[in-house]
Every structure is written in C-alpha cells, then in structure tokens.
Amino acid sequence: MSTSRKSEESIYRIPPYYYLHVIDQNTNVTRVETGPKTFIRQDNERVVFGPEKMITVPPRHYCIIENPVLKNKEDTVVFDANGQAKLLHADQEIRLAQDPFPLYPGEVLKQPVVALKVVVANAALRLRSILDFEDESGEKRTAGDEWLFEGPGTYIPRKEVMVEETIRATVIKPNQAIKLRARKESLDRDGDARVTGEEWLVKKTGAYLPGAYEEVVDVVNAYVLTEKKALHMRSIRTFKDDFGVVRKNGEEWLTKMSDTETHIPHVYEEVVGVVSITTLTNRQYCIILDPVDENGKPQLGRKKLVKGEKSFFLMPGEHLEKGIQNVYVLGEDEGLILKANETFKDAEQDVERKPGDRWMIRGPVEYVPPVEVEVVTKRQAIPLDENEGIYVRDVKTGKVRAVTGVTYMLNQDEEMWPKELPPTVEGLLATGKDPVADRADRRTTAPGQRDKTRVVTYRVPHNAAVQIYDYKEKKARVVFGPELVMLGPDEQFTQLSLSGGKPKKPNVIKSLCLLLGPDFCTDVIVVETADHARLQLQLSYNWHFEVTTKPEDKTYEVEAAKLFSVPDFVGDACKAIASRVRGAVAGVQFDDFHKNSAKIIRSSVFGFDDNQKVRERFSFHQNNLVVTSIDIQSVEPVDQRTRDSLMKSVQLAIEITTNSQEAAARHEAERLEQEAKGRLERQKISDEAEAERSRKELLELQAHSAAVESTGQAKAEAQSRAEAAKIEGEAAVEQAKLKAQATKIEAESELERLTRAREAETKYIREQNELEITKTSQMAAIETGKFKDMVTSIGADTIKAIAVSGPEMQVKLLKSLGLKSTLITDGSNPINLFNTAQGMVGGLVPARSRPVPDSDEEDA
C-alpha cells in the first residue's frame, strides 16, 4: 500500500545521482528521469521504479549489464520513433569505471559491481571463448578456444570470454620434475608439438606454469643413488632414455650411481624397486641363477659362481641360489659329501666327474663348491668311547655294521642306520629302572626318545643274566652280570614275560634280564581236604638258579641257555608246587591238615629221601631252578561254614586254654599270697626284736651322753677361762710390742722427714746462693763491659776533660769573685773549697749531678 501511495504522489524530488522510471500510460513508453530535479507527475504518467541510486563503478571494478541500451558512435543512447530506448536483447555489456549511470527500462544488473581480478606472478587465468571474436591484438578467437592470461596483471573481462579457472605455477625443486599431460594437440612452452594424451617431464628448476592445454599429472621426486643402492627400471613402451639408449617395451635394466647420482624416472619407465648392493666377504660366496652377460642379455638356465671379496648389484632377472653362503671351513674332524650334477673336470683332484658321482673331501681345508657340484651334507667325526657305538650302513651293498670305541667319520657311501626295537623293549630300555632295586615297581613311565642310530647298550646287574639272539647267525648268547651288553645290527634281546601278582597271573612282569636269585615269590592257591574243606593258602617260596659250569667248560653255553629255556619260570614253578600241594592236601582230613599243615606241604613239595626225611630243595632240571624253602603265610577256609566252624573251634580251644590258665594263675596267686603272709609275720617279729635292741642301745647311749655332757661342761668352762686369760696376756704383750714398734717407726719417720727437709732447705739455699752469685757475676760483667764500651766509645781525653771541667770551673768562678780572706783552722777538719764553691754556685749545677753529702760533711 505504501508503494501504491508513493506511485500516486505527484511531486518527486530526485536527489543528485538518483533516477526513476516513468511510464506514459498514453503511449506506454517508459523514460528515465535523473536528478537533481523535482519531478511533477502528470495524470497520464506513473512512476514504475525509483527513485533509485545510480550505479557507481569505482576504478579497477566492473559490472555486467544484461539487455544493455544501444549507443551510437558518439556514445549516446539511441531511441526509437516513440522515444523508447533501444535495447540489445539477450546481450551483455561489461561496464568499467565511469560516471554514475542509471539503468534504462529493460536493463538488468546481472552482476553487481566487483573488483577486477588481479593475476599475481606465477599464476594465470585459463580463459575460454564462448563467441567468435577478434581481440585487441588482432588475433581471432573461435568459440571453444582456450588460452592463458598470465600474471602479473589485471584481467579486464569480455562478454565473449569465460574464466574457467585460476592456474598457479608448480614450483620445481632440485631433484624434482613435474609430469604433464596434453589435453589437446598443441605446442608446449619449448615449442614441441604434443598430441592429446601425451605425457612428458619438465625438469627445469623453478616455477612452471602449465599451458592452456596442459595438466599437471604428478610431481616426480628424483631417486638418490648411492654406491649401495641402484634402481631396477622397466620400460612400459619403446623410447629413448635420458642416456640416449633405446629401451624396448618390457625391457628391464639397472640405473647405478656410475650412470647418474640422481635419477628421475621417465614417463615411459617405471621403478620396479630399489636394489641393494650384494657384498661378499672373503669368507663368503654365492651362485647367481640366470646371469646376465656383458651385453645385458640374460643367460637362462645357467649359473655363475661369485667369490668374495666382492660387491655387485643383481641385474634384473638374476637371483641367488640359497642366498649368500659361507665358505665351507672344515676342521680335522669334518668332511663334505659332494655330488656332481653335470660333467666337469675336478681341477683340485684332476679327476673327470660325471653326473651322479659322489665323493668326499676331508679337512682341514677351505672349500667353495663349483656350480656343477652340490653339497649333499656335512659330516662330523663321531667320537666313540669303548662303551659307545653307532650303526653304519653301506648304501651300495646294504651291509650294516656296528662301529664302537673309535672316532669315526662316515664316508660318501655310508649312512647312519636306525635300529628298530620292539615297543616293549624300547619301553624297558627307556624307563631306566634298576632290575634289582626296582623289581617291585610295576608303574609304567612314558618312554624317552632314543637315538636309534646309536648302538643299543644295556647294563646287566650283578647276579643276573641276559640272553641275546643273533637272527643272522641264528645263535643265542647269554651274558652274565655285571656286564655291559652292546647289541649288534642283527641282534635282539630275549624278552622275559613272567607271571606276577597274587595269585599268579601270566604276562604281568616284563624284563630283559633274568635275576639268578636267591629271591622269593608269593602265591595264593586253593586246596581241598579229604573231608571237602576248601582252604586258601598263601605260600612264599625261596628260589635261585644254579649255574655249576664255568665259561671254559664245553657245556657252559648249553647250561647257560637252559636258564632261558622256560619263558615263564615263575608261573611254571608256582603251578608245579601248587599241583603237589593240592595232591597232598586232598588225602588228609581238615583237622590233620590244620595241625600239621607245614609238614604236609613241605613233604609234598620237597619229597622224602632214602632215610624218609624231608628233602631240603626242589629242583627244576629244565632251567636249573631250585626252590629251597616254603613259608606258609596264611591258611584261610574258602567256604563260609567251614570258616565259621573253624572259628568256633578256635574260640572254644582258646576259651578252654584261657580257663585253665586262669585256674592255674589263681592257684598260684593263692599260694604266693600264703607265702607272702608267712614271710610278713616272720618279718614283723624280726623287726620288733630289732627295734627292742635298738631302743636298749639308744638308752645306753643317752646315759653315757648325759655323763659326758656334765663332765665336759665343767672341764670346758675351766679350760675356756684359762685359755681366755692366756689369750688376754698374750694380747697385752703383743699390744705393747706393737705400740713400741709404732713409736719407733714414728720417731724414725719424723727424724727422716726432718733430715730430708733440712737437706732440701740447705740444697735450696745453696742453689739460690749459686744463682745469686752467678747473677751478680753476670751483672758485674755486663756493667764492666758496658762501662768499658762507654769509655771506649767516649775516649780517655773526653773523660779527662769531663772530670776536670767541674773543679776548673769552680776555681775560675772563685777567682772571678775576687775574694781575699784568711781562714784559720785547727787542721783536723779539712776545708773543701770546692764544696763551698759548689754551694755557692749550686743553682748552676743540675740536681742529678749533685753528689750526696756524706754524714761527716753534713755534721760540719
């Protein structure tokens, strides 16, 4: 409603640089009114747009006008006959910096005012022509053409040109290149013709701006080659590389440091990988398969031996057989088994080798096998002790032998032969149980792994035997312990499968050695008496084998083989003894057997001799087994009723025995009690008589003691008083002596003290006097020396002058006074005129030099 009211206004004040559109409703022509002015609308006019500010394009800016007005050569707007501004419909006009302008009716501001694009250095705008035109330089552009506007510069747009993209230069660093691809047939910057899809490299260091028909595919970094690295290259099409060599499609080669320090792969070559140098020391070698010849052609199927010291690169197609290998350094106890794969001449041994030949070289030596030779294996000498050995088989003849007690090395026609043993024997050998100490141990342990190529050894314990059978010679030998058995290639142990358990069961005990005893075995058998009482007996037999012959006897081997003639001697002996016992027990009653079981069983087993005495042994002549004794450990009825009857009879017998024993014990106890009572009475009477005698002796002793006590007391008192008086006298005498001695000692000590004090005082006074004399003498000497030195320093004449100077001065003084008088004296007292003069002139003499007057002079 505001717009409609505004359009109905009659007066419009148009500011400067503003405009509005007015339509004449009579002619339907729209015109532009620009300010500054005041526009008065007529009735047939209507304002359809504005007032609106004019479009201002500042410097270095532009805008795009769609359907622009048509202008003549004088750059003025062209109007038609009706006064309507003519428009270029479906056209565009780019207007740059100019005075503010209005939009005529029909003109549309397609792009507002924006700044012109400034293209910096190393950048460009890729332009595409959308209309055919001719630019300012006279070059004709066809629709679809593309070109670059390179910086630095400001791009002024045209309506015929569209900006596709901004391209920035790619900086090529040292050891870099860029891969370019042509999008269309064109000329590159070097003037070379490029076809569509062609790729090439630009390696020049610096900024590179791709052309309009060029695109950057990738930035390629150079590979830095060293003495230890090379590049494995492959050609993807035929071309000439950077070194001027024509490479065929699919060809492979190495680029080394000797060719170039850095390498940028060509567009038609690819890097398969980086090949490291292969370095061999003087203790290494290698074999190259399919080596490349001097012309770079691979020699398929061939081999090449390379020894160290050497460093090289594996060429494409080459590879090492088993990698880098160490030179075979063989010691004195080592060897190599070699095999020829093709015919060649062995230069070291000057022998013609044929394919399949095998030979052996021994150390000490260093060996590098040629390409025609294959190292089959390395042999080490096997040190063998006297009790060790190995099985060796000759691969040519198949003969197997055992080597023991030497250091042996297999040659080229020998190999270690594994000796197979039955699983049971393997288990017995692997458990390592002592046949004697562990014979009661029935536990099975997991067998260990045995070296089957080593000679099988078995330690036969003391008082045991082992039978070994040679299947090749078809002979058996028996070895008695203690001994170490070593099996030959065709020998096997005779395995013993003995009965065990109670009662005996077959095949319970497995063993390789036969213990000769003495030993014992226990068996449980069931017997039946004549009165059909079934009893279970547990018997223990002591047995041993007898070997009476010596090794030097002819029958020694036969007698030794007898030991193993019965496979299960335990079961055979137990069955034989059990049958004899059953037969003997079947002919006696239960009571008889119960009373005489030991005698019946021993006689049934051992039998009687010619004197009808029971023998001491039972011998089995088949294997020289001897049973020496039988111990009946238990007899138990099998039938429950028999067992109950036996239990009742046993209990009844026990009860009768117990009652008889109780009666006898009671009778004996009563007898002992009566004897004890009689002995007690007699002992009581004896004790009373002895007590009376002791009481009498006691009274006599008491009387004597009282008499002795009274007499002794008086005597003791008298003796004590005499002893006391004597002791007091002796003590007084001793005290007087001690006092006299003490007085004497005190006097002597006091005298000695005074004497020492006087001597010390005398010595002190004497030393003090000596010190005083010494001091006085030294002081006198010092004063004398001092006076002498003073006199010497002053001089005799000076002293004389000093001495006479005083009297002379006094004489002169007295003379100068002019006194004339007479003095009469008696002559007893001398008159000292000098003193007089001195007293007269005393004030002139210093006080310290005045002599002290004597007492006589003072009196005068």
Side-chain angles (χ1 to χ4, degrees):
M1 295 181 62
S2 60
T3 304
S4 61
R5 284 198 304 269
K6 188 175 180 181
S7 61
E8 292 175 357
E9 293 179 358
S10 299
I11 299 174
Y12 292 87
R13 290 176 175 82
I14 304 173
Y17 301 110
Y18 277 74
Y19 69 97
L20 52 78
H21 291 175
V22 180
I23 184 172
D24 190 345
Q25 295 181 349
N26 294 331
T27 60
N28 285 329
V29 174
T30 304
R31 69 181 186 276
V32 176
E33 296 291 341
T34 61
K37 67 183 299 185
T38 300
F39 173 69
I40 300 173
R41 181 180 63 83
Q42 301 298 323
D43 293 338
N44 60 339
E45 293 177 341
R46 185 167 61 90
V47 175
V48 295
F49 182 76
E52 193 70 25
K53 188 177 182 179
M54 293 183 181
I55 297 174
T56 302
V57 181
R60 304 188 63 80
H61 287 68
Y62 75 99
C63 65
I64 299 177
I65 305 298
E66 190 175 6
N67 303 325
V69 295
L70 181 63
K71 295 183 178 179
N72 54 20
K73 295 181 179 180
E74 289 79 11
D75 199 21
T76 57
V77 178
V78 178
F79 295 92
D80 57 6
N82 297 322
Q84 179 74 39
K86 291 185 176 181
L87 301 176
L88 297 175
H89 294 282
D91 198 359
Q92 293 180 356
E93 179 183 357
I94 295 176
R95 296 179 183 178
L96 303 176
Q98 56 182 296
D99 293 337
F101 60 90
L103 288 177
Y104 283 88
E107 289 183 338
V108 178
L109 182 61
K110 184 177 182 180
Q111 179 174 323
V113 177
V114 294
L116 294 173
K117 289 186 179 180
V118 177
V119 183
V120 298
N122 296 328
L125 296 177
R126 185 161 65 87
L127 307 178
R128 180 168 61 87
S129 174
I130 56 177
L131 296 174
D132 297 342
F133 72 99
E134 183 176 349
D135 58 11
E136 293 81 359
S137 60
E139 184 176 356
K140 293 183 179 181
R141 302 288 185 182
T142 307
D145 287 349
E146 294 182 2
W147 68 96
L148 294 181
F149 178 81
E150 299 180 8
T154 303
Y155 172 69
I156 299 175
R158 297 177 60 100
K159 65 179 182 178
E160 301 90 355
V161 178
M162 179 183 294
V163 178
E164 291 291 333
E165 62 177 343
T166 301
I167 301 175
R168 297 192 179 276
T170 302
V171 178
I172 304 175
K173 300 178 182 178
N175 295 328
Q176 275 188 344
I178 58 173
K179 183 189 291 187
L180 301 177
R181 182 188 296 123
R183 298 189 298 111
K184 185 180 178 182
E185 294 182 1
S186 61
L187 297 177
D188 61 9
R189 292 190 178 275
D190 295 332
D192 298 331
R194 303 295 181 182
V195 297
T196 303
E198 182 180 358
E199 294 181 352
W200 68 97
L201 292 179
V202 176
K203 302 179 181 179
K204 185 177 179 181
T205 304
Y208 181 82
L209 190 64
Y213 296 110
E214 297 173 357
E215 61 179 356
V216 177
V217 178
D218 191 11
V219 177
V220 182
N221 293 317
Y223 289 88
V224 179
L225 303 179
T226 62
E227 296 179 353
K228 297 182 179 180
K229 290 185 179 181
L231 289 181
H232 181 188
M233 311 300 296
R234 180 189 295 129
S235 174
I236 56 178
R237 59 172 289 183
T238 303
F239 75 103
K240 182 182 289 187
D241 63 8
D242 297 338
F243 309 109
V245 180
V246 177
R247 304 293 183 183
K248 301 295 184 180
N249 187 9
E251 182 181 353
E252 296 182 359
W253 69 96
L254 285 184
T255 301
K256 306 176 185 176
M257 186 180 178
S258 58
D259 300 327
T260 178
E261 293 183 357
T262 59
H263 181 68
I264 300 175
H266 196 272
V267 293
Y268 298 127
E269 64 185 15
E270 62 179 355
V271 178
V272 179
V274 178
V275 180
S276 299
I277 195 170
T278 302
T279 302
L280 302 178
T281 64
N282 58 354
R283 317 301 298 169
Q284 293 177 333
Y285 73 97
C286 66
I287 296 177
I288 302 176
L289 301 179
D290 303 332
V292 176
D293 60 7
E294 297 177 355
N295 299 324
K297 303 298 181 181
Q299 300 175 347
L300 301 178
R302 293 191 178 184
K303 298 181 180 180
K304 179 181 178 182
L305 176 64
V306 181
K307 300 180 181 179
E309 298 177 352
K310 191 172 184 181
S311 297
F312 61 94
F313 290 100
L314 286 176
M315 301 299 291
E318 294 181 344
H319 58 278
L320 297 180
E321 182 184 26
K322 300 180 182 179
I324 298 176
Q325 305 178 57
N326 294 323
V327 175
Y328 291 94
V329 180
L330 304 180
E332 294 181 355
D333 57 344
E334 294 178 325
L336 284 180
I337 305 299
L338 306 177
K339 178 182 177 182
N341 293 327
E342 53 185 277
T343 303
F344 78 102
K345 185 175 182 179
D346 191 348
E348 295 182 357
Q349 301 182 5
D350 195 16
V351 178
E352 186 75 21
R353 304 289 185 186
K354 295 182 180 180
D357 285 352
R358 293 165 62 99
W359 69 100
M360 181 178 182
I361 61 172
R362 297 176 180 267
V365 70
E366 292 183 2
Y367 184 72
V368 178
V371 295
E372 300 87 1
V373 176
E374 175 188 355
V375 177
V376 178
T377 183
K378 183 177 181 180
R379 291 285 169 82
Q380 182 84 24
I382 304 173
L384 301 174
D385 193 13
E386 294 180 357
N387 298 330
E388 294 179 330
I390 56 174
Y391 297 111
V392 179
R393 185 170 73 96
D394 193 322
V395 296
K396 290 185 176 181
T397 62
K399 184 178 179 181
V400 181
R401 60 192 178 95
V403 180
T404 59
V406 296
T407 300
Y408 188 75
M409 183 188 297
L410 301 176
N411 60 29
Q412 68 274 9
D413 296 326
E414 293 178 340
E415 66 179 2
M416 303 287 283
W417 181 74
K419 181 177 178 60
E420 298 292 340
L421 295 176
T424 307
V425 177
E426 288 279 6
L428 293 174
L429 291 174
T431 53
K433 293 182 179 179
D434 189 346
V436 178
D438 300 330
R439 63 183 184 276
D441 189 1
R442 299 289 183 265
R443 293 176 298 178
T444 58
T445 58
Q449 188 65 29
R450 178 181 66 88
D451 187 358
K452 296 183 179 181
T453 60
R454 290 277 179 168
V455 171
V456 180
T457 60
Y458 183 76
R459 300 184 184 274
V460 183
H462 176 69
N463 202 20
V466 172
Q467 186 182 44
I468 301 170
Y469 188 79
D470 190 337
Y471 285 89
K472 184 177 181 181
E473 301 292 336
K474 299 188 182 303
K475 290 195 308 182
R477 60 188 176 99
V478 178
V479 179
F480 291 91
E483 185 63 57
L484 179 69
V485 176
M486 303 179 71
L487 291 186
D490 300 312
E491 291 181 336
Q492 292 288 346
F493 287 105
T494 298
Q495 178 186 343
L496 298 177
S497 181
L498 306 178
S499 298
K502 293 183 294 186
K504 289 291 181 278
K505 297 179 181 178
N507 302 324
V508 174
I509 302 174
K510 307 290 184 180
S511 178
L512 297 180
C513 71
L514 176 66
L515 301 180
L516 301 181
D519 204 344
F520 70 93
C521 67
T522 304
D523 191 14
V524 175
I525 62 175
V526 178
V527 298
E528 186 174 353
T529 62
D531 51 359
H532 304 290
R534 292 175 57 85
L535 302 177
Q536 179 177 303
L537 307 182
Q538 181 170 337
L539 306 178
S540 179
Y541 319 124
N542 287 347
W543 58 266
H544 68 273
F545 286 94
E546 280 191 348
V547 181
T548 58
T549 59
K550 297 182 180 179
E552 56 269 12
D553 295 339
K554 294 182 179 180
T555 61
Y556 175 75
E557 293 184 359
V558 177
E559 292 295 327
K562 278 186 176 182
L563 300 176
F564 294 88
S565 60
V566 179
D568 185 4
F569 74 92
V570 175
D572 183 68
C574 290
K575 289 179 181 178
I577 295 173
S579 64
R580 290 194 174 197
V581 172
R582 289 192 189 97
V585 173
V588 296
Q589 298 294 327
F590 172 73
D591 292 336
D592 295 337
F593 176 75
H594 185 66
K595 295 176 182 178
N596 304 310
S597 59
K599 182 178 180 180
I600 294 172
I601 292 175
R602 286 178 56 84
S603 61
S604 64
V605 173
F606 296 124
F608 297 95
D609 57 7
D610 297 336
N611 299 325
Q612 296 300 316
K613 291 184 178 180
V614 179
R615 293 190 180 95
E616 298 295 332
R617 51 190 291 165
F618 176 35
S619 300
F620 294 86
H621 301 287
Q622 297 88 351
N623 57 350
N624 293 335
L625 176 66
V626 177
V627 179
T628 58
S629 66
I630 297 179
D631 180 21
I632 305 172
Q633 295 180 344
S634 66
V635 177
E636 294 181 0
V638 177
D639 188 21
Q640 186 65 34
R641 290 180 298 173
T642 306
R643 186 179 302 175
D644 295 340
S645 301
L646 179 61
M647 185 64 66
K648 289 179 181 180
S649 63
V650 170
Q651 289 177 357
L652 182 60
I654 292 173
E655 187 177 353
I656 294 171
T657 304
T658 303
N659 293 334
S660 62
Q661 289 178 354
E662 286 179 356
R666 186 167 54 254
H667 179 70
E668 183 67 21
E670 291 176 355
R671 184 181 65 80
L672 293 176
E673 185 179 357
Q674 292 295 328
E675 290 179 356
K677 286 181 179 180
R679 285 195 299 271
L680 180 60
E681 291 296 332
R682 289 195 299 270
Q683 185 66 34
K684 186 183 295 184
I685 295 170
S686 299
D687 291 342
E688 288 178 357
E690 185 67 27
E692 290 298 330
R693 285 194 296 270
S694 299
R695 188 178 297 111
K696 178 182 177 182
E697 292 176 359
L698 175 62
L699 292 175
E700 290 177 354
L701 290 175
Q702 286 178 353
H704 181 70
S705 177
V708 171
E709 183 178 358
S710 60
T711 305
Q713 183 175 3
K715 186 178 180 180
E717 289 178 359
Q719 289 179 355
S720 63
R721 285 195 296 269
E723 289 291 334
K726 182 180 179 182
I727 291 172
E728 288 179 0
E730 291 177 355
V733 172
E734 186 68 25
Q735 184 177 6
K737 289 181 180 180
L738 294 175
K739 285 183 178 180
Q741 290 178 1
T743 304
K744 182 180 178 180
I745 291 171
E746 289 178 359
E748 289 177 355
S749 61
E750 182 65 21
L751 178 60
E752 186 178 359
R753 185 185 66 79
L754 292 175
T755 301
R756 289 183 180 180
R758 295 294 182 269
E759 290 177 356
E761 185 177 0
T762 303
K763 183 179 180 181
Y764 171 73
I765 294 172
R766 184 170 58 251
E767 290 178 354
Q768 188 174 10
N769 292 337
E770 289 176 358
L771 290 174
E772 187 67 25
I773 293 169
T774 303
K775 177 180 178 183
T776 304
S777 299
Q778 291 178 357
M779 292 298 294
I782 292 172
E783 292 295 332
T784 303
K786 177 180 178 184
F787 183 75
K788 183 179 179 180
D789 292 340
M790 291 175 62
V791 170
T792 302
S793 61
I794 295 174
D797 296 336
T798 306
I799 295 172
K800 180 180 179 182
I802 294 173
V804 300
S805 62
E808 287 180 354
M809 183 182 67
Q810 292 176 0
V811 171
K812 290 179 181 180
L813 180 60
L814 292 174
K815 286 181 180 181
S816 64
L817 292 176
L819 295 177
K820 294 179 180 181
S821 63
T822 303
L823 178 62
I824 300 172
T825 65
D826 57 2
S828 59
N829 292 323
I831 299 175
N832 191 354
L833 295 178
F834 293 102
N835 289 341
T836 304
Q838 186 176 359
M840 296 176 64
V841 295
L844 301 176
V845 181
R848 67 175 180 271
S849 61
R850 294 176 185 176
V852 178
D854 296 335
S855 60
D856 297 338
E857 293 177 355
E858 290 178 354
D859 295 337

